[in-house]
Amino acid sequence: MDKYRIDSHKLIYHVSRVNDWLEGKNVYPIYAEISPSGICNHRCTYCALDFMEYQSRFLDKEVLKDRLSEMSSLGLKSIMYAGEGEPLLHRDIGEIINHTKKVGVDVAITTNGVLLKEGLVESTLENITWIKVSINGATKETYAKIHKTSPDNFDQVIENVSYAVKVREDKGYKCALGMQLILLPENWYEAELLAQYAKDIGMDYLVIKPYSQHPLSKTTKYKDIKYSDYLHLADKLNNFNDSKFSVIFRVNTMKKWDEGRRNYKHCLALPFWSYIDAGGTVWGCSAYLSDEHFIYGNIYKNTFKEIWEGEKRLKSIRWTEEKLDTNQCRVNCRMDEINRYLWQLKHPPEHVNFI
């Protein structure tokens, strides 16, 4: 039961933007990921962005608000606040969230949930489309081992998300509340227990997803994990599903990790999204955050329009569509499913007219 299409993609709902791209027109991103904070209060064993060094830097609130207003006018539809740090560590995150929604952009947050405190929930929940809390264990001991934090953080997260559910129900807000567990050898046996917790609390879903090795990550502990060993969990977790709660066990993504194959030779998806790091740099891809090929510009120096229409980005797009070897890319990258879709549009099989 994956009504949010988490294990697929949603570009099929933006036909006009895809048509513009097919016709060779300049298209602005539908979706962006923004890292308000470079620092993090956890040091997870699987952290893909450990190479960013958890820098103590934060996006300037006023500059970001200006760019958010501009990006909305250019056609941006959604933003996920996540990135190389914990987004809720930004002291003005509440104001940033509310401004994002005010200018017509949907807001999502991926967080470890420790700082999802009552005041923030009460002041922002109405304006958030979804919150996904990363919680990689169902016991204090496992959670602390994987997140490399105090076991007390587990209780704090459970308390915080429980309060968010209460506020949502009391106020009639529509914010979808979910948990996410990255399936690892240290926690797979707690997946069912976490599903029970999530359902009892009143969460909408629990995502069970595979690890994905970032090509720049210092962490290589899980690079050889095989998810065929864990697919038996799918049937057990399916028993938790009902009309109000679902476990989204990402079988498709797990199989792609084990197989390591793609149906596309080059990356076509970059026009439809962007990534802004905590230093204000606009990147074409979050898997290449130290590669000059993917730097478009910086929001402190230029408007987003200037960056998006600038020669750096245009050169980057040409390079990725023609020369980037996707065999070197991160398996199950953010745009993998979108790339599979776009590649089929550009390279249709025979007999497509027999619909």
Side-chain angles (χ1 to χ4, degrees):
M1 296 174 63
D2 183 9
K3 69 178 184 179
Y4 303 108
R5 296 180 65 88
I6 291 174
D7 205 27
S8 182
H9 74 91
K10 294 179 276 288
L11 191 59
I12 57 174
Y13 300 110
H14 299 274
V15 176
S16 62
R17 200 81 61 104
V18 174
N19 281 338
D20 285 345
W21 173 78
L22 286 170
E23 292 174 5
K25 298 178 182 178
N26 175 52
V27 295
Y28 281 94
I30 297 167
Y31 164 72
E33 293 182 14
I34 296 180
S35 180
S37 165
I39 62 174
C40 190
N41 49 352
H42 288 181
R43 292 293 184 272
C44 299
T45 58
Y46 59 84
C47 182
L49 296 181
D50 52 5
F51 67 93
M52 297 292 286
E53 303 290 349
Y54 311 107
Q55 300 171 61
S56 183
R57 58 181 186 171
F58 303 87
L59 284 173
D60 181 89
K61 174 186 66 175
E62 296 304 328
V63 172
L64 180 56
K65 286 168 65 176
D66 285 346
R67 296 295 174 264
L68 291 170
S69 299
E70 179 198 5
M71 291 165 75
S72 174
S73 71
L74 294 171
L76 187 73
K77 301 294 185 183
S78 65
I79 286 175
M80 180 175 74
Y81 289 114
E84 71 259 31
E86 166 53 48
L88 302 189
L89 281 167
H90 196 297
R91 64 182 181 181
D92 297 311
I93 190 63
E95 185 177 345
I96 291 169
I97 289 169
N98 291 337
H99 178 81
T100 306
K101 187 61 178 179
K102 181 181 178 181
V103 298
V105 177
D106 292 341
V107 181
I109 303 171
T110 295
T111 172
N112 60 43
V114 175
L115 298 174
L116 191 65
K117 299 295 183 66
E118 293 184 4
L120 183 63
V121 169
E122 291 168 355
S123 64
T124 63
L125 198 64
E126 182 180 14
N127 292 322
I128 302 175
T129 300
W130 56 261
I131 300 173
K132 191 184 297 174
V133 176
S134 179
I135 179 168
N136 295 284
T139 63
K140 289 183 179 183
E141 295 75 20
T142 300
Y143 176 89
K145 180 180 179 181
I146 295 174
H147 286 254
K148 289 188 177 180
T149 188
S150 166
D152 292 340
N153 276 187
F154 179 81
D155 290 335
Q156 183 66 66
V157 172
I158 296 298
E159 179 182 331
N160 291 348
V161 296
S162 299
Y163 185 76
V165 170
K166 181 181 183 301
V167 170
R168 181 185 64 179
E169 301 309 311
D170 288 348
K171 300 289 187 180
Y173 297 153
K174 294 183 178 180
C175 179
L177 298 170
M179 291 179 174
Q180 177 171 279
L181 177 140
I182 294 181
L183 201 61
L184 302 171
E186 297 94 328
N187 66 14
W188 70 268
Y189 55 89
E190 294 185 359
E192 291 176 82
L193 181 57
L194 187 60
Q196 190 65 63
Y197 274 147
K199 186 170 185 175
D200 291 346
I201 289 168
M203 305 298 281
D204 295 296
Y205 61 86
L206 167 66
V207 175
I208 309 287
K209 66 177 287 188
Y211 172 79
S212 175
Q213 181 67 44
H214 195 294
L216 301 175
S217 178
K218 297 178 181 179
T219 301
T220 58
K221 181 178 180 179
Y222 306 109
K223 67 181 178 65
D224 296 321
I225 190 171
K226 293 296 182 184
Y227 281 97
S228 56
D229 297 337
Y230 305 110
L231 296 182
H232 67 279
L233 290 172
D235 289 338
K236 295 179 180 179
L237 292 167
N238 189 55
N239 292 328
F240 290 92
N241 295 344
D242 58 29
S243 61
K244 294 183 178 180
F245 176 79
S246 60
V247 177
I248 302 168
F249 191 79
R250 299 188 63 178
V251 174
N252 180 44
T253 307
M254 291 180 192
K255 288 180 177 179
K256 287 190 297 180
W257 167 261
D258 283 358
E259 295 168 359
R261 295 198 304 267
R262 296 177 170 86
N263 73 331
Y264 52 93
K265 295 181 180 179
H266 301 292
C267 181
L268 304 177
L270 300 193
F272 298 96
W273 87 303
S274 65
Y275 180 92
I276 301 177
D277 70 21
T281 299
V282 181
W283 297 85
C285 179
S286 60
Y288 292 97
L289 293 181
S290 65
D291 191 327
E292 293 283 333
H293 283 109
F294 296 89
I295 294 178
Y296 294 170
N298 192 287
I299 62 171
Y300 292 126
K301 298 177 180 179
N302 295 98
T303 66
F304 193 81
K305 187 175 189 293
E306 289 170 339
I307 293 169
W308 203 254
E309 296 183 2
E311 182 56 34
K312 270 191 174 183
R313 190 190 78 88
L314 298 177
K315 184 178 179 181
S316 175
I317 292 295
R318 288 194 295 268
W319 185 81
T320 56
E321 290 185 353
E322 297 171 4
K323 297 183 180 180
L324 175 66
D325 180 4
T326 55
N327 289 320
Q328 305 302 313
C329 291
R330 186 179 187 181
V331 176
N332 287 324
C333 77
R334 284 277 195 262
M335 295 291 111
D336 180 67
E337 283 295 318
I338 289 177
N339 265 315
R340 291 171 185 267
Y341 170 62
L342 295 175
W343 188 264
Q344 289 180 9
L345 290 180
K346 285 278 192 176
H347 304 85
E350 296 179 10
H351 306 168
V352 295
N353 292 334
F354 293 87
I355 62 172

